[in-house]
Amino acid sequence: MTCTAVSTRPGGLQGKCLVQNIERSSGGFTLHTSRGIVRAGVVLLATNGYTTRSLGRLSHHVLPVPSFLVATRELDENIVLDLIPGRRMIVETRQRHCYYRASPDGKRIIFGGRAALFKPSDAFYERQLRTLMGGIFPKLRGVELTHRWWGKTGFTFATLPHVGKLEGIWHAMGYCGNGNSMAPWLGYKVALQILDDPEGDTAFAQIPLPTRWYYNGHPWFMPLADLRFRLHDFVANLAR
Ligand SMILES: Cc1cc2nc3c(=O)[nH]c(=O)nc-3n(C[C@H](O)[C@H](O)[C@H](O)COP(=O)(O)OP(=O)(O)OC[C@H]3O[C@@H](n4cnc5c(N)ncnc54)[C@H](O)[C@@H]3O)c2cc1C
C-alpha cells in the first residue's frame, strides 16, 4: 500500500475513506486508510455491525447480523389500511422475527426480517421475505416487489448497546437492530466522555460487554444460529 498523509486539521472530515488498520503509536494511534495515513490522539469506533477484525479487539464483542427489507409496489391505500389498521409499526416475537409497516405515504407495505443470519444472494432473501410476508398477509402473495435492500446491524452478547473504551479505543456500538435513535444519543454521550465531561455518564457504559471463547471477530457460527432459530420457531409453532 502506498500511503500519503491525509489532512488531519482539527475538524477535518474525510468521506469514502476506509480505515484498514489501527496501530498504537507514540502519543496515540496511526490509522492506515484507503486514502493515506492518519495520526490521532483519540480514536472513536462507531462502526457497529461493520466492525471487522482489522479494527481490533472490539470485533470480538459485536456480531454482524444482517437485516433484509423489501417494499411492495404501490397498492390501493384501503388494502394497506386493511392489512395494517392504524398504520402501526409491527415487530414479532418469533426468534426469526419479521418487522413491517406501511410506507409513510400509506401506499406500500415495507417488510423486513431475518431472512438469513449470513449474506445470501439477493434472490434468496427476496424469496424468503416473500414467503414470510405471504404467510402473514395472504393477500400479498405474488404481489410485485419493487425494492429490496439489506445492511448489517451490530449485536452484543448482552443484547444491549455499549459505550466505553477498550484497549485505548473509544466505542459506541452494538445497537442490536435499534440504533436509529440510540446511535446519535450514545454518540453524543461518548463524545462527552472523551471530553471528560461527567454528563457523558450513561448506564450503557456500566453494563458488561461480554464476548465468547469461540468468537474472534469471524462469525463462522451464524448459519448454525440461523438453524437454531428456525428450529425454535418450528417447535413453537407445533406447540400452538
Ligand atoms: C435494513 C436495516 C433496517 C434497520 N431498521 C431499523 C429500524 O427500523 N429502527 C432502528 O432503530 N434501527 C434500525 N436498523 C439499525 C440501525 O440502522 C443501526 O442500529 C444504526 O444505523 C447504527 O448506527 P451507527 O452509526 O452506529 O452505525 P452504521 O449506521 O452502521 O454506520 C457505520 C458507519 O461506519 C462506517 N465504517 C464501517 N467500517 C469502516 C471502516 N473500516 N472505515 C471507515 N468507515 C467505516 C460505515 O461506512 C458506516 O458509515 C436497521 C438496520 C438495517 C441494516
Side-chain angles (χ1 to χ4, degrees):
M1 181 175 67
T2 315
C3 288
T4 49
V6 297
S7 160
T8 54
R9 75 193 148 80
L13 198 61
Q14 296 286 332
K16 298 199 185 304
C17 183
L18 184 75
V19 176
Q20 294 155 327
N21 189 28
I22 304 174
E23 271 173 18
R24 265 195 174 280
S25 57
S26 59
F29 298 89
T30 300
L31 287 82
H32 297 262
T33 82
S34 52
R35 294 177 62 190
I37 285 179
V38 177
R39 294 186 213 291
V42 175
V43 172
L44 165 62
L45 268 188
T47 43
N48 204 37
Y50 298 89
T51 309
T52 53
R53 288 164 72 167
S54 61
L55 298 178
R57 187 77 198 168
L58 270 161
S59 65
H60 296 211
H61 296 262
V62 178
L63 287 159
V65 175
S67 172
F68 303 90
L69 270 297
V70 288
T72 65
R73 67 167 170 78
E74 286 192 6
L75 305 164
D76 184 306
E77 288 180 42
N78 289 324
I79 294 182
V80 175
L81 263 181
D82 189 36
L83 295 175
I84 305 187
R87 292 201 195 160
R88 292 181 176 83
M89 315 282 163
I90 303 173
V91 179
E92 297 176 355
T93 54
R94 276 191 282 196
Q95 294 226 334
R96 284 179 70 236
H97 63 264
C98 299
Y99 22 92
Y100 36 99
R101 56 169 291 177
S103 57
D105 63 5
K107 294 181 179 166
R108 302 167 191 263
I109 300 286
I110 300 178
F111 190 91
R114 304 255 164 80
L117 285 182
F118 47 92
K119 171 60 180 78
S121 68
D122 290 352
F124 178 90
Y125 85 73
E126 183 174 319
R127 213 167 39 242
Q128 290 271 308
L129 290 183
R130 181 182 281 290
T131 306
L132 287 162
M133 187 169 71
I136 296 163
F137 300 125
K139 265 190 191 160
L140 295 182
R141 281 185 191 145
V143 73
E144 185 194 347
L145 301 176
T146 53
H147 300 77
R148 67 179 172 215
W149 66 100
W150 78 285
K152 291 182 194 169
T153 64
F155 272 67
T156 60
F157 289 99
T159 58
L160 285 170
H162 201 271
V163 300
K165 201 177 187 182
L166 196 67
E167 297 185 340
I169 297 179
W170 290 92
H171 64 268
M173 59 175 73
Y175 302 105
C176 304
N178 298 301
N180 284 0
S181 49
M182 283 303 282
W185 174 243
L186 290 185
Y188 169 66
K189 284 293 199 181
V190 78
L192 291 173
Q193 288 193 13
I194 292 169
L195 296 171
D196 215 12
D197 184 326
E199 282 294 309
D201 194 21
T202 158
F204 295 102
Q206 314 300 336
I207 55 176
L209 180 62
T211 183
R212 296 286 184 272
W213 60 268
Y214 52 80
Y215 185 44
N216 64 359
H218 171 52
W220 57 270
F221 45 86
M222 294 304 255
L224 299 177
D226 188 43
L227 272 179
R228 183 188 165 283
F229 293 148
R230 280 171 196 262
L231 190 64
H232 180 281
D233 290 340
F234 178 73
V235 173
N237 263 349
L238 287 181
R240 278 204 186 103

